[in-house]
Amino acid sequence: MLFVPLPLFATLFLALLLCRILLTRDMALRAHQLFAGLIALYAVQSLLVSLRWGYEIEGVATFLIILAPVLPAVAYLSYAALTGRQTARRLWPFAVIALNWLVFAALPVLPDPLILMTYLGFGLLLLRLWWKGADALSLSPISNTHEIRFALGLTGAALVLSGLTDIYLIIDFIQNDGRNAGLILTFVQTAFVVVIGLAAFFGRADELSEPEEESVTLGPEATEQDSDIVNRLESLFVQDGLHRNEDLSLRRLARKLGLPARQVSNAINRARGMSVSQFVNDFRIREARTLLCSTQKTIMEVSLTAGFATKSNFNREFLRVTGQTPSQWRKGNLSDNE
């Protein structure tokens, strides 16, 4: 009977995800290219792990070491691409990759500690980006911000945990001559591969091309200009129905106003005390409440009409704004009007 290592199943799963993302995303966008590349790289790593520990092919060990620093760097670049700030000076992660390779070429006994620091470093950077909130991901569609931010935090945590796993492996090699290494890499690392690959599938940018980085000097309090920006946005929502666009992003809003994205974001933060996604979704919920009371549309139809890409996102935001589910709100308000 043919022995099929567990990582091979992960490889197949990631290959299917890669095919899906290539068929359903606009691959002209840098962010989508990076996320597709990330999934492809993890599929290759999973295949190499299965060959190394499943079939005991020692020759692939070198390729695993070469690939190791590339994975966290590309993960970081993928999510950083959603911030709209991918200028040439922000490509420093490639220098980190090169440093890992140079150390491996010169001192083969030292790559493990450096790879460990690379995973921990990029993992912490991703968690830092997650901590900044939804508005930091200015190129991501507002309807998908919650899922993308969750995937971002999950990827950062997985990289950190992967680094901590490497610490255990180093200790195991010191104390037990690496007797448990194969088992750990087969199960634990395969889990990390699947988690990060699945998270990468949720990474998504809007259909606009990424602009160059913009800089805005901010003040500590709301100004008349902030209020004017918010009022102009609300006018766009009322007159043009801009909020109904499922692919709406901070960058798209900023371009409609002819302003830098950071200025629009901070105007909403200061004038309304909320994030851009909350501001847009609050307006969507306002329209949804009207539709629930004045039409016979199903809740799914209402959510799509108001601009939500998924019913789960609609339910979550409706509960945040009103404290009730859409069905509860409709039942209560229809009763009051009868």
Side-chain angles (χ1 to χ4, degrees):
M1 180 176 179
L2 178 64
F3 170 65
V4 181
L6 180 62
L8 276 182
F9 291 102
T11 302
L12 176 60
F13 172 73
L14 293 175
L16 293 174
L17 280 184
L18 178 60
C19 291
R20 179 70 183 275
I21 201 172
L22 291 174
L23 292 173
T24 60
R25 303 287 170 82
D26 180 2
M27 297 311 297
L29 296 180
R30 182 188 302 127
H32 292 171
Q33 294 169 0
L34 287 167
F35 280 115
L38 180 62
I39 294 174
L41 287 170
Y42 269 100
V44 171
Q45 188 208 38
S46 181
L47 176 61
L48 293 176
V49 168
S50 67
L51 294 176
R52 169 65 179 86
W53 299 104
Y55 296 109
E56 299 183 352
I57 300 177
E58 300 290 340
V60 303
T62 300
F63 296 102
L64 280 169
I65 295 176
I66 293 174
L67 184 61
V70 179
L71 299 172
V74 174
Y76 172 76
L77 287 169
S78 299
Y79 288 100
L82 296 179
T83 66
R85 302 174 188 175
Q86 285 294 94
T87 56
R89 63 187 178 86
R90 292 183 177 273
L91 299 180
W92 59 265
F94 290 107
V96 177
I97 297 173
L99 177 61
N100 275 270
W101 288 349
L102 287 173
V103 169
F104 174 60
L107 300 168
V109 296
L110 290 182
D112 285 347
L114 187 56
I115 291 173
L116 164 62
M117 290 187 289
T118 300
Y119 271 77
L120 291 177
F122 282 116
L124 291 174
L125 285 174
L126 286 173
L127 291 176
R128 180 173 175 267
L129 181 58
W130 169 83
W131 183 259
K132 288 183 178 180
D135 289 355
L137 305 173
S138 62
L139 289 182
S140 62
I142 290 174
S143 296
N144 302 101
T145 298
H146 179 80
E147 291 82 1
I148 295 172
R149 188 163 176 256
F150 177 78
L152 166 62
L154 189 63
T155 300
L159 290 179
V160 171
L161 290 174
S162 182
L164 296 177
T165 302
D166 288 342
I167 294 177
Y168 177 81
L169 288 174
I170 293 173
I171 295 174
D172 181 59
F173 271 101
I174 294 174
Q175 296 182 346
N176 304 311
D177 197 28
R179 285 194 296 269
N180 301 319
L183 183 64
I184 294 172
L185 283 171
T186 299
F187 290 97
V188 179
Q189 293 296 74
T190 298
F192 288 144
V193 165
V194 172
V195 167
I196 295 177
L198 186 59
F201 178 75
F202 289 97
R204 182 179 178 184
D206 70 7
E207 296 178 356
L208 294 175
S209 59
E210 296 93 329
E212 296 181 356
E213 181 179 6
E214 298 156 327
S215 178
V216 179
T217 301
L218 305 175
E221 298 179 357
T223 63
E224 290 186 11
Q225 185 181 31
D226 294 332
S227 298
D228 178 63
I229 290 172
V230 172
N231 291 335
R232 288 171 61 192
L233 278 176
E234 291 185 334
S235 295
L236 286 172
F237 292 167
V238 173
Q239 297 172 10
D240 301 337
L242 183 62
H243 62 288
R244 300 189 188 102
N245 189 328
E246 293 181 2
D247 294 324
L248 188 63
S249 67
L250 170 57
R251 188 66 64 179
R252 191 180 291 258
L253 290 175
R255 287 204 168 187
K256 280 288 185 180
L257 297 176
L259 296 171
R262 197 180 304 174
Q263 185 177 357
V264 175
S265 172
N266 282 280
I268 295 173
N269 296 161
R270 292 191 296 254
R272 292 299 175 85
M274 60 179 65
S275 68
V276 175
S277 61
Q278 289 175 332
F279 174 75
V280 174
N281 286 333
D282 278 12
F283 203 92
R284 289 170 170 171
I285 295 301
R286 192 186 312 171
E287 179 174 349
R289 286 185 294 185
T290 300
L291 292 173
L292 287 171
C293 290
S294 61
T295 71
Q296 297 298 316
K297 291 184 176 182
T298 65
I299 291 177
M300 185 63 184
E301 290 173 334
V302 169
S303 69
L304 294 175
T305 301
F308 289 95
T310 64
K311 187 178 178 182
S312 60
N313 191 27
F314 172 61
N315 290 336
R316 181 179 60 252
E317 290 300 309
F318 199 97
L319 184 62
R320 177 184 64 81
V321 174
T322 67
Q324 295 178 298
T325 65
S327 57
Q328 290 172 337
W329 196 92
R330 168 178 262 178
K331 183 178 180 181
N333 283 271
L334 286 177
S335 299
D336 292 340
N337 294 330
E338 293 177 349

